[in-house]
Amino acid sequence: MKIIIIGAGPGGYETALLAAKRGVEVTLVEAGPVGGTCLNEGCIPTKAFCKNAEVLDGLREAAAFGVTDLSYGFDFKTVVDRKNAVVEQLRGGVEGLLGHKLISLVHGKASFKDEHTVVVDSVEYTADYIIIATGSVSASLPIPGAELPGILTSKEILDIEQIPQRLCVIGGGVIGLEFASIFRSFGSEVTVLEYCKDILPRFDTDLAKRLKQSLGKRGIDIQTQAQVTSISESEGSYTVSFTRKGKEETVVADKVLMAVGRRANLDSMNYEEIGLECTRRGIAVNEKMQTNLPHIYAIGDINGLMMLAHAATFQGIVALDHIMGVENNIDLSVMPAAVFTSPEAASVGMTEDECKEKGIPVKCLKSFFRANGKAVTMGETDGFCKIVTAAEPKDGQDSPYAAGRILGCHLFGPHASDIVQEACAMITNKTTIENFRRIIHTHPTLTEVLQSALFE
Ligand SMILES: Cc1cc2nc3c(=O)[nH]c(=O)nc-3n(C[C@H](O)[C@H](O)[C@H](O)COP(=O)(O)OP(=O)(O)OC[C@H]3O[C@@H](n4cnc5c(N)ncnc54)[C@H](O)[C@@H]3O)c2cc1C
């Protein structure tokens, strides 16, 4: 069997490696550096910046920990160089792995000649199956000024030379908030303009409200229900105009980050020419990631289902297993997600609102990091945890879930991105509160925040 995979991000390269390990011959085509958005301009470089932000925040709080000599300088060039070194190191690792004898890595932009043939620099490649993993691109707003040079995307802000004194972030989603948090720690005055009623529109509303307050306490000005209407530039600074509750307002900034989401990279290949069905969201797929052309699959951001690196990787496993006839019971609906702000936020499973909309009776259990011994020793007590569980249906109600089953977990606080993983395991294994309560947690650890909620 032969497979062509187009795109070497966390969807494409991980699937290529798994296929090769299983003895399948793979042609992997990549137009840019291997690792895709995630490694080169997404997850990894932003988290390298997050580490710098954490170091700086630690220095600012050092006096409370008895450090008396607090003079320090901050060289932003070293921050960017370190970020680049981290990316290069990991990219080298991926390149090494892709040296597998069953993988032919082809550098260049792929296009379809027909539904069985892919062309790269005039060379034709054919295979039994094709997996498209061509990712996504930054979206923008159709407003005057959006195309001004100097309006940054999440890619460009990673390589700016100076920390802006004033940064305006358009969009209070995951990417916008991560950069807002990072640059606040770097010393910028940060304003976030979000169109929706709450930040993080897809997250639990309780979590979003509390995280907004927490980021506000750090000095990040977050304006929700703010509809950005135009951007203008004068002598190197930008005026971002927006309407909020019927009033015209402006923010003046030295840099503007456009972080209004990402869209499937539908322009990168001639998908529709070969009859591939696409929607506004991306290439249409079934639950096995199969397109309307049964030998072609689409995984990761290009199908628009869930724009996360681990979603791309796991969708790749689902697609490959389907191609190879391997039984697979991965539940892609239990998809953890993290926001690497300070403090972090994380979420997995259903939210309380979602359950209410679906008529599922729930009971929510809460706990707070201020009552967690480890968080107090760390001086990081801001945060809460909410566990959504199925409740006993009342008269006339119905529920597809047994009472006590854990359906969702939503939290923010120190290391939330790590803690959520335990809840993810519980939800994947359809665990009940009773069973979760039997699991002994080491003391003192941050994961006890889950236990505290369950014993509420
Ligand atoms: C700033 C930022 C931070 C992020 N942080 C996180 C995070 O912390 N955690 C997380 O889970 N997700 C994060 N993401 C999202 C994550 O990066 C994506 O979900 C993930 O990269 C999608 O993987 P993919 O394989 O589908 O596509 P990509 O990683 O985008 O890879 C697609 C590849 O296809 C190639 N390609 C495109 N067209 C062609 C063509 N015609 N021929 C050949 N090659 C082609 C591209 O060059 C690219 O390398 C972040 C994204 C951004 C922008």
Side-chain angles (χ1 to χ4, degrees):
M1 183 195 293
K2 276 189 182 176
I3 302 182
I4 295 173
I5 300 178
I6 307 163
Y13 85 73
E14 293 278 12
T15 309
L17 289 172
L18 182 60
K21 274 186 208 151
R22 291 179 178 179
V24 177
E25 228 178 282
V26 180
T27 301
L28 177 63
V29 190
E30 173 53 61
V34 299
T37 305
C38 171
L39 203 162
N40 297 291
E41 55 194 70
C43 325
I44 298 299
T46 49
K47 268 81 249 179
F49 272 8
C50 284
K51 180 62 192 174
N52 276 96
E54 186 190 323
V55 169
L56 280 173
D57 290 341
L59 285 170
R60 286 190 192 102
E61 289 154 14
F65 291 82
V67 180
T68 47
D69 182 0
L70 282 175
S71 59
Y72 60 88
F74 179 43
D75 174 27
F76 188 53
K77 185 174 177 306
T78 307
V79 174
V80 176
D81 289 348
R82 180 181 169 278
K83 178 264 297 175
N84 291 339
V86 167
V87 169
E88 271 164 39
Q89 181 187 335
L90 289 171
R91 196 165 50 219
V94 175
E95 280 163 355
L97 292 171
L98 292 176
H100 194 289
K101 63 180 189 309
L102 287 177
I103 301 176
S104 313
L105 180 59
V106 177
H107 291 283
K109 190 167 190 283
S111 61
F112 280 108
K113 181 179 175 203
D114 56 52
E115 62 175 85
H116 286 281
T117 317
V118 168
V119 184
V120 186
D121 292 330
S122 323
V123 182
E124 293 184 7
Y125 299 86
T126 52
D128 307 295
Y129 295 96
I130 298 172
I131 299 178
I132 301 169
T134 45
S136 61
V137 290
S138 293
S140 186
L141 288 179
I143 53 162
E147 303 306 327
L148 280 171
I151 306 299
L152 305 170
T153 63
S154 61
K155 178 178 191 262
E156 290 148 0
I157 197 169
L158 291 169
D159 288 309
I160 54 176
E161 287 176 359
Q162 272 184 340
I163 296 165
Q165 198 193 325
R166 297 163 301 179
L167 174 67
C168 176
V169 178
I170 304 178
V174 177
I175 293 175
L177 290 181
E178 285 188 7
F179 279 110
S181 177
I182 289 166
F183 277 88
R184 181 67 196 133
S185 299
F186 288 175
S188 301
E189 291 162 29
V190 181
T191 306
V192 177
L193 301 176
E194 165 57 47
Y195 176 74
C196 295
K197 204 163 136 254
D198 289 308
I199 55 169
L200 298 175
R202 288 193 192 168
F203 282 67
D204 179 87
T205 42
D206 219 2
L207 180 149
K209 283 195 174 76
R210 289 171 195 258
L211 181 67
K212 179 175 175 241
Q213 279 170 4
S214 179
L215 295 175
K217 276 192 251 161
R218 289 189 50 217
I220 301 174
D221 178 16
I222 302 179
Q223 304 281 337
T224 49
Q225 293 177 286
Q227 182 178 11
V228 176
T229 49
S230 68
I231 310 168
S232 60
E233 193 257 350
S234 169
E235 294 175 10
S237 66
Y238 298 87
T239 302
V240 181
S241 304
F242 62 99
T243 50
R244 190 166 183 273
K245 298 183 179 165
K247 263 177 57 192
E248 300 281 330
E249 298 187 43
T250 55
V251 174
V252 180
D254 305 296
K255 292 276 181 215
V256 177
L257 170 67
M258 184 68 80
V260 293
R262 293 181 64 83
R263 59 178 174 78
N265 193 4
L266 289 175
D267 312 324
S268 81
M269 281 182 81
N270 48 340
Y271 303 115
E272 277 169 299
E273 266 176 46
I274 60 156
L276 263 185
E277 207 176 289
C278 297
T279 66
R280 281 184 57 204
R281 204 179 197 193
I283 297 178
V285 291
N286 63 18
E287 74 285 359
K288 299 296 178 195
M289 306 299 126
Q290 197 173 25
T291 68
N292 61 312
L293 304 178
H295 66 291
I296 302 185
Y297 292 70
I299 61 167
D301 285 9
I302 189 64
N303 64 31
L305 293 179
M306 185 64 87
M307 292 197 177
L308 290 166
H310 43 281
T313 302
F314 275 78
Q315 289 175 4
I317 300 172
V318 168
L320 187 66
D321 282 350
H322 193 245
I323 289 171
M324 298 183 74
V326 174
E327 205 179 319
N328 174 312
N329 60 0
I330 293 173
D331 183 355
L332 291 171
S333 73
V334 186
M335 188 65 69
V339 191
F340 293 85
T341 42
S342 171
E344 291 180 355
S347 172
V348 63
M350 284 195 269
T351 63
E352 186 179 357
D353 290 340
E354 196 181 338
C355 290
K356 280 186 183 152
E357 269 166 36
K358 291 181 178 162
I360 301 166
V362 289
K363 181 171 178 206
C364 292
L365 309 167
K366 290 181 189 172
S367 64
F368 295 86
F369 279 87
R370 63 173 179 264
N372 176 282
K374 182 70 182 288
V376 177
T377 64
M378 292 162 67
E380 295 182 43
T381 50
D382 205 5
F384 99 124
C385 170
K386 172 174 174 180
I387 299 182
V388 181
T389 66
E392 201 71 64
K394 295 200 181 101
D395 291 343
Q397 261 187 327
D398 218 2
S399 174
Y401 303 103
R405 177 139 156 215
I406 299 165
L407 303 178
C409 176
H410 313 278
L411 72 162
F412 83 92
H415 294 272
S417 64
D418 299 315
I419 299 168
V420 79
Q421 206 50 51
E422 186 180 351
C424 182
M426 297 302 152
I427 297 169
T428 302
N429 290 328
K430 304 182 175 26
T431 304
T432 59
I433 310 174
E434 269 322 299
N435 277 327
F436 203 162
R437 280 185 185 144
R438 289 172 41 234
I439 296 169
I440 303 168
H441 288 71
T442 315
H443 177 75
T445 58
L446 295 168
T447 59
E448 286 175 298
V449 80
L450 298 173
Q451 209 173 18
S452 304
L454 291 169
F455 280 100
E456 181 206 16

